[in-house]
Amino acid sequence: MEGLIAVTYRCNAHCHMCNTWQFPSDPSEELTPADLATLPHLKFANITGGEPFLRDDLAEIVEVVRSKADRVVISTNGYYTDRILALARRYPDLGFRVSIEGLPAANDELRGIKDGFDHGLRTLLELRALGVKDIGFGITLSDRNADDLLELYGLAEAMGLEFATAAMHNTYYFHKFDNGFEDAERIAGNLEELSRRLLRTSRPKNWFRAWFNLGLANYVRGGDRLLPCDMGTDIFFVDPFGRIMPCNAMDAPMGSLKTQTFEEIWNSPEAAAVRERVRCCDQRCWMIGSASPAMKKHISVPAKWVAKAKLTGSLPPVTGLPSACSTDER
């Protein structure tokens, strides 16, 4: 099982594609480290926000989550370099993912942080100099930054860092419902070129990322989700108030860690009802948080595509699996 844990909705960024910063959580209402004590054993946990490094007790939260998860990664905009480095020194096995939305002009415009690119890049360089192994950065694609995608990938390759991709979504979590793509084909075309470059590398992980990025191109073009979604079954989301959700796209609480143990929530009738909602969800999300566990569960789908792509040296069309929900149920 995997967990996504948003520890705050406070944020110092004013992102174009996300309005979470306009709806900050009250620190007095945010979950505490003790609230996470009943989490189950996790293969992976992502600590996110908002901006996690606005929490004064982030180290205490990390201490609890590290005791539960085999691997812990913190998502950040990279602005608070000193705080990030201090945590990395304390827990050198932590992973870090810095959000960079393009080259300097596009990043600072989209993130709404003066010199945000400089802060993010400095954080990445300092983490690498510190010897942290699990480091990377990622981009959320829009019309404004689509043409920076391949340059950022080249930067990640030159620095020896992981590179993640996402695209704008509309959900309650982002407080955005008007995100859209004016030139979907241009964005999708850049993702296809990224997939070609990933396939040319010697890393099998990159070959599967190529399939994921073609799925992202499919999402940008308005296509159906390629794999069934099992959020709320294989993975869960904890919001800053301690509520267990299936994901950060469906506002459907199963229960609260402030009043219940994780096991009580996970095995409750409320959780079962939420899973039924997920089974017939029609939001088409293609975010790594839900796509990655689905790819692992249905590994034969991307594996067959990778085998064909490597054999032919081309990009075969991507095909997926039908939804677990019948047309009548929808």
Side-chain angles (χ1 to χ4, degrees):
M1 190 184 299
E2 300 181 1
L4 309 175
I5 305 168
V7 295
T8 185
Y9 283 153
R10 291 174 281 150
C11 193
N12 61 312
H14 295 172
C15 291
H16 170 74
M17 63 287 186
C18 173
N19 285 338
T20 298
W21 59 275
Q22 296 184 30
F23 302 88
S25 48
D26 185 331
S28 67
E29 298 177 353
E30 291 173 347
L31 59 83
T32 68
D35 292 330
L36 301 172
T38 65
L39 289 180
H41 174 262
L42 303 171
K43 293 181 179 178
F44 171 75
N46 175 220
I47 296 175
T48 184
E51 173 49 52
F53 284 91
L54 290 175
R55 290 282 306 240
D56 294 332
D57 59 349
L58 183 59
E60 287 71 29
I61 290 174
V62 168
E63 182 73 32
V64 175
V65 177
R66 282 179 73 252
S67 73
K68 304 289 184 178
D70 297 336
R71 176 175 172 239
V72 180
V73 171
I74 301 180
S75 297
T76 172
N77 58 42
Y79 189 83
Y80 298 106
T81 304
D82 291 343
R83 301 178 197 177
I84 295 168
L85 294 177
L87 193 67
R89 291 188 185 98
R90 183 169 174 177
Y91 303 111
D93 60 339
L94 280 179
F96 296 87
R97 292 296 180 271
V98 176
S99 297
I100 293 182
E101 304 307 340
L103 298 178
N107 178 82
D108 293 2
E109 177 185 335
L110 290 171
R111 284 260 151 197
I113 306 179
K114 185 178 185 300
D115 300 326
F117 181 90
D118 293 356
H119 282 273
L121 183 59
R122 182 173 292 108
T123 293
L124 290 166
L125 290 168
E126 294 285 354
L127 285 170
R128 190 176 66 164
L130 197 61
V132 178
K133 302 299 183 185
D134 193 353
I135 318 171
F137 64 93
I139 181 174
T140 298
L141 287 166
S142 65
D143 290 280
R144 175 65 181 86
N145 64 2
D147 292 335
D148 290 355
L149 172 65
L150 298 175
E151 284 80 4
L152 284 183
Y153 168 67
L155 177 63
E157 284 289 284
M159 295 177 67
L161 304 180
E162 299 293 324
F163 183 64
T165 51
M168 297 187 302
H169 282 71
N170 292 306
T171 77
Y172 83 94
Y173 172 76
F174 300 112
H175 292 276
K176 285 286 284 187
F177 298 96
D178 60 353
N179 282 325
F181 308 105
E182 294 181 7
D183 191 349
E185 280 305 312
R186 177 170 62 91
I187 299 169
N190 284 332
L191 285 164
E192 289 173 346
E193 177 57 27
L194 174 62
S195 296
R196 292 186 186 92
R197 297 188 186 187
L198 289 167
L199 280 170
R200 289 198 292 266
T201 70
S202 59
R203 297 180 64 197
K205 186 175 182 179
N206 281 348
W207 307 342
F208 285 85
R209 283 176 173 163
W211 188 86
F212 168 80
N213 279 289
L214 289 184
L216 198 56
N218 171 71
Y219 163 77
V220 169
R221 287 179 170 127
D224 291 335
R225 182 182 166 90
L226 295 180
L227 295 174
C229 181
D230 285 309
M231 298 299 281
T233 299
D234 299 329
I235 188 169
F236 60 87
F237 173 68
V238 185
D239 78 1
F241 312 107
R243 297 183 301 174
I244 300 291
M245 309 275 201
C247 61
N248 62 357
M250 180 182 287
D251 189 3
M254 298 176 171
S256 173
L257 291 173
K258 287 186 172 293
T259 58
Q260 302 162 275
T261 67
F262 181 88
E263 185 175 0
E264 288 171 343
I265 296 169
W266 202 242
N267 297 311
S268 67
E270 290 82 3
V274 168
R275 292 186 187 104
E276 279 302 302
R277 287 184 58 186
V278 171
R279 197 168 65 87
C280 288
C281 178
D282 60 0
Q283 288 204 195
R284 303 191 306 109
C285 297
W286 194 250
M287 293 184 266
I288 194 64
S290 66
S292 176
M295 288 172 66
K296 293 171 185 174
K297 176 175 277 190
H298 306 285
I299 191 64
S300 64
V301 175
K304 289 177 181 177
W305 180 90
V306 165
K308 186 173 183 179
K310 296 298 288 183
L311 182 65
T312 63
S314 63
L315 288 185
V318 288
T319 56
L321 296 175
S323 167
C325 180
S326 70
T327 303
D328 290 343
E329 287 178 293
R330 287 179 185 275

